[in-house]
Amino acid sequence: MDGNEIEPEEEELVTESETTLTEVDYGLLMLFIGQFVLIGSFDDTGLPQDFFAATMGKCVDQMTSVPCVYWFVMIVTILSNVASNVPVCQMLAATFPFATPYDWMQVSFSATIAGNLTMLGSAANMIVAFQAAKVGDRTFTSERHAPFGIPSCLVSLYIGTFLMTMVHFSPECSVRLGNCDE
């Protein structure tokens, strides 16, 4: 080099993990961590168990039998849209530790479909809204979601719950409770 040339800079290597870490939505991650911490702490108070005992009334021990299952689905739907469906499933796991596989099938179905009632009801809805907002699209809103989300959710919940009461896809016994013939 004669002194007039610019010395080339070394190319900076960017690893795959560095790229991945820059793409993480830390705000969304904190939202979910907060939800799980809050629900976990709430479970420890015993209030969810008391709440379900009070709201389910005589149906508390037969939550997935007709007509109790429709009341149970309504409660799961409301809770899923207040606290989001995944934390509600976490709360129900602590509330009903010995539920049968059929009970859990009903919880899974109800919480998943109920999540589509409102934007808050499902983590997927919130992720889509956050991602759309990141690219400047602020049209994915609760007001635009509701005209389709509410009726489709309610119809799907009713039809799906009806079908699940007619055809049981999983056992109605609990090995943990010892009421299954093995």
Side-chain angles (χ1 to χ4, degrees), residues 17 42 46 84 99 119 128 132 147 156 174:
S17 58
F42 187 57
S84 195
M119 289 285 288
V128 169
S156 296
S174 173

Side-chain angles (χ1 to χ4, degrees), residues 149-176:
I150 293 171
S152 64
C153 172
L154 295 177
V155 168
S156 296
L157 276 171
Y158 179 78
I159 292 172
T161 300
F162 173 76
L163 290 174
M164 286 183 71
T165 61
M166 301 306 287
V167 179
H168 291 222
F169 299 99
S170 59
E172 292 187 57
C173 62
S174 173
V175 174
R176 290 182 74 186

Side-chain angles (χ1 to χ4, degrees), residues 97-101 103 171-182:
F98 299 110
T100 68
D103 295 340
E172 292 187 57
C173 62
S174 173
V175 174
R176 290 182 74 186
L177 285 177
N179 61 0
C180 288
D181 297 329
E182 294 182 30

Side-chain angles (χ1 to χ4, degrees), residues 3-179:
N4 291 331
E5 296 175 4
I6 300 175
E7 203 170 305
E9 294 181 21
E10 285 186 37
E11 274 190 45
E12 189 175 319
L13 292 176
V14 178
T15 65
E16 185 177 345
S17 58
E18 289 173 318
T19 303
T20 302
L21 288 174
T22 61
E23 293 176 6
V24 172
D25 187 336
Y26 291 100
L28 189 60
L29 186 59
M30 291 308 293
L31 171 71
F32 292 126
I33 289 171
Q35 283 181 328
F36 283 106
V37 168
L38 181 65
I39 294 296
S41 299
F42 187 57
D43 285 343
D44 294 341
T45 67
L47 288 173
Q49 294 83 350
D50 295 341
F51 172 80
F52 271 97
T55 57
M56 290 298 292
K58 295 176 183 175
C59 292
V60 75
D61 293 327
Q62 51 190 352
M63 64 185 180
T64 54
S65 63
V66 177
C68 296
V69 68
Y70 291 100
W71 181 243
F72 177 69
V73 167
M74 186 179 82
I75 292 169
V76 170
T77 300
I78 291 167
L79 289 176
S80 291
N81 286 279
V82 169
S84 195
N85 58 357
V86 174
V88 166
C89 287
Q90 178 190 2
M91 181 180 67
L92 290 172
T95 305
F96 303 110
F98 299 110
T100 68
Y102 175 75
D103 295 340
W104 286 118
M105 185 87 119
Q106 188 64 56
V107 167
S108 173
F109 171 76
S110 301
T112 299
I113 299 300
N116 291 312
L117 186 72
T118 65
M119 289 285 288
L120 180 62
S122 171
N125 292 340
M126 290 187 286
I127 290 168
V128 169
F130 286 140
Q131 294 303 317
K134 272 186 175 180
V135 296
D137 182 359
R138 303 211 184 275
T139 60
F140 193 67
T141 63
S142 294
E143 294 82 18
R144 291 195 178 192
H145 180 270
F148 176 75
I150 293 171
S152 64
C153 172
L154 295 177
V155 168
S156 296
L157 276 171
Y158 179 78
I159 292 172
T161 300
F162 173 76
L163 290 174
M164 286 183 71
T165 61
M166 301 306 287
V167 179
H168 291 222
F169 299 99
S170 59
E172 292 187 57
C173 62
S174 173
V175 174
R176 290 182 74 186
L177 285 177
N179 61 0

